Amino acid sequence: MGIVRRSTIALLAAAAAVLVHAQAASTPLSAATDIVAPLSCLRPVDGLTWMRWSDHRQPLDLWCNSVGGPVLESHVPVTNEIAGMRILSWNVNVGAGRLEALLPRLLDEAAADGLGLTVLLQETFRSGGAVPEQYPAALHVPKAIRPRRPTMDVHDIAEQFGLSVAYVPSMRNGPATALREREDRGNAILSTEPLLDVRAIELPFGKQRRVAVTALIGPRAHAIRVVSTHLDTNGDRAAQADALSERLTSFTDAPLFVGGDLNARGGLRDNAVLAIAKRLPMASCGTGRTNRWPMRLDVLFPIGRLDYLFTGTSVNTLVRSCETLPDAYDSDHLPLLMTVRY
């Protein structure tokens, strides 16, 4: 009975804390508000369409209301035709990963081989006025992840290197409301090529809101379609992976490549990995761990491989190589790099 009473008291205290937080957050001076309309994350963007999840609308809309709209800027290169594509997939740990240090090498190597470069980013971020100051009072905003500041956000990096960019935020990066500190985070595609038919694919709500982004890459050579995704850390990732792989069956316009952090703690046999692999073959990029924790805690507490690339069954002959790069460039994940020749 003592345990029951203590549990009841704890639940009542938690409920009271939530009520106090909600009341305080809804005051006129707060950054949080119950009225944020229309959904800020759905700001119309030419060339981008949404594939929203029909269930769990209340939490998905709540989280959506805390972030800014998508970013889509597509550039047409003026150079000659390319013979293929290098595809990098990488969780950059919300700015910790030094993408600005890795990109010059990748761009130079791709150009020397007559290839384009496409980068699939997870846990990238966007800062500034595009992120709304207000957010719903009922939302428990995710904790901020800011391992390296100041640093360029995803739009700044695309602009500096002259790349096309499609960025779709999944969640707010902490509750900060000051203009210089407001951030959201999500998935992105950067490319030396134009981005066509960009789709934001909202996944079933689990622990957090997750939105994959896909684009048709073209037109200097044969078009390909790429997807960048990032799944929940808990068991909900399997349902999200299954929903994503089902969505992907509708894309038959070009060879398909999917990269992402699946948070697959079970490694190659994780349910999230199997859910996608049953429709798209897993690329042979390695079998070892891709997580790199501070102080090498990943060695003391090993978990399965988290990051993967998948290819459509019709494009296996295009893949020339795929590897896990040995340097994390200060991220907590290793990058995956695939070479595709048309």
Side-chain angles (χ1 to χ4, degrees):
M1 292 297 292
I3 294 175
V4 173
R5 282 197 296 270
R6 285 196 297 272
S7 299
T8 302
I9 291 172
L11 287 172
L12 290 174
V18 170
L19 179 61
V20 169
H21 171 76
Q23 290 174 338
S26 61
T27 60
L29 297 179
S30 173
T33 175
D34 288 316
I35 304 174
V36 182
L39 294 176
S40 57
C41 71
L42 301 183
R43 176 179 58 81
V45 175
D46 289 341
L48 183 146
T49 57
W50 278 88
M51 302 175 72
R52 301 205 72 200
W53 192 254
S54 58
D55 296 332
H56 311 116
R57 280 269 50 88
Q58 184 175 0
L60 287 170
D61 287 351
L62 196 68
W63 285 61
C64 178
N65 248 331
S66 72
V67 304
V71 174
L72 174 57
E73 295 181 3
S74 188
H75 304 300
V76 178
V78 295
T79 54
N80 297 327
E81 290 288 307
I82 55 176
M85 183 71 62
R86 289 256 166 81
I87 301 173
L88 182 86
S89 181
W90 191 20
N91 180 321
V92 290
N93 191 24
V94 199
R98 293 179 292 110
L99 181 60
E100 72 278 9
L102 177 57
L103 268 177
R105 174 196 137 192
L106 295 178
L107 288 167
D108 288 346
E109 291 177 350
D113 290 340
L115 306 174
L117 176 67
T118 294
V119 180
L120 312 179
L121 296 177
Q122 302 89 48
E123 271 198 357
T124 190
F125 78 100
R126 182 257 309 272
S127 60
V131 182
E133 180 180 10
Q134 296 182 328
Y135 54 86
L139 176 65
H140 182 64
V141 177
K143 182 180 178 181
I145 304 175
R146 302 172 188 264
R148 184 168 65 107
R149 297 295 186 273
T151 189
M152 292 186 292
D153 70 5
V154 64
H155 183 265
D156 293 335
I157 288 177
E159 188 174 61
Q160 174 165 317
F161 290 94
L163 300 174
S164 298
V165 56
Y167 164 72
V168 181
S170 294
M171 64 193 75
R172 196 177 185 92
N173 189 34
T177 59
L179 180 60
R180 295 179 61 183
E181 297 180 357
R182 296 202 297 265
E183 295 181 356
D184 51 27
R185 63 185 195 245
N187 299 314
I189 299 170
L190 305 178
S191 185
T192 57
E193 313 307 305
L195 303 181
L196 310 173
D197 189 29
V198 178
R199 312 282 186 97
I201 307 175
E202 195 172 53
L203 303 180
F205 187 80
K207 182 178 181 180
Q208 295 178 318
R209 179 173 178 264
R210 303 286 180 173
V211 185
V213 59
T214 178
L216 195 65
I217 307 294
R220 277 200 293 169
H222 301 285
I224 63 172
R225 179 169 287 279
V226 297
V227 182
S228 180
T229 191
H230 186 196
L231 306 182
D232 272 343
T233 57
N234 64 359
D236 294 311
R237 64 182 178 270
Q240 292 172 340
D242 191 58
L244 175 63
S245 60
E246 184 176 351
R247 291 282 200 187
L248 295 181
T249 59
S250 65
F251 294 114
T252 58
D253 50 359
L256 182 62
F257 300 86
V258 180
D261 173 9
L262 304 190
N263 275 309
R265 296 173 182 271
L268 301 178
R269 305 304 300 173
D270 191 273
N271 287 336
V273 177
L274 297 176
I276 297 180
K278 69 182 180 183
R279 292 187 173 94
L280 293 170
M282 185 193 313
S284 299
C285 307
T287 58
R289 295 192 308 274
T290 54
N291 63 303
R292 286 293 180 266
W293 292 348
M295 301 174 63
R296 292 312 310 272
L297 292 176
D298 54 299
V299 175
L300 297 177
F301 303 98
I303 59 177
R305 185 178 180 88
L306 302 182
D307 303 271
Y308 296 85
L309 275 164
F310 301 86
T311 64
T313 54
S314 63
V315 299
N316 287 340
T317 56
L318 301 180
V319 177
R320 292 295 178 266
S321 65
C322 191
E323 61 180 319
T324 301
L325 300 184
D327 190 343
Y329 284 85
D330 294 337
S331 177
D332 56 357
H333 288 250
L334 295 172
L336 310 184
L337 182 62
M338 176 183 286
T339 299
V340 176
R341 290 194 177 272
Y342 304 135

